[in-house]
Amino acid sequence: GYGLTNLRLSWSDRDRQWTVALQIDNLLNEQYYITKTPALNADGTLFSVNGTPGLLRTAFFTIERNF
């Protein structure tokens, strides 16, 4: 098996009116597939494997304000 490493750092002021956060998904930039489907020849032998790759490292920065 395998796993993905994500990271989130956030800061809020004392009144929790403001929150600032940095989030990084797939921190180690692993290549992985969400789905894999075998493609077979007419005689049933494996021709190829088709799949949907997952996202590579992705970063998000957010600022929130509560009223």
Side-chain angles (χ1 to χ4, degrees), residues 22-38:
L22 172 66
Q23 178 175 328
I24 302 173
D25 290 346
N26 195 2
L27 181 66
L28 303 176
N29 208 27
E30 297 288 332
Q31 291 184 349
Y32 66 99
Y33 290 88
I34 297 170
T35 61
K36 283 187 178 179
T37 306

Side-chain angles (χ1 to χ4, degrees), residues 37-50:
T37 306
L40 304 176
N41 290 316
D43 64 0
T45 59
L46 183 64
F47 173 70
S48 68
V49 177
N50 299 316

Side-chain angles (χ1 to χ4, degrees), residues 8 10-20 63-67:
R8 179 178 169 88
S10 63
W11 173 86
S12 297
D13 66 348
R14 288 183 186 209
D15 299 329
R16 296 196 177 217
Q17 289 184 328
W18 290 96
T19 301
V20 178
I63 299 174
E64 296 178 24
R65 169 83 161 109
N66 294 316
F67 297 93

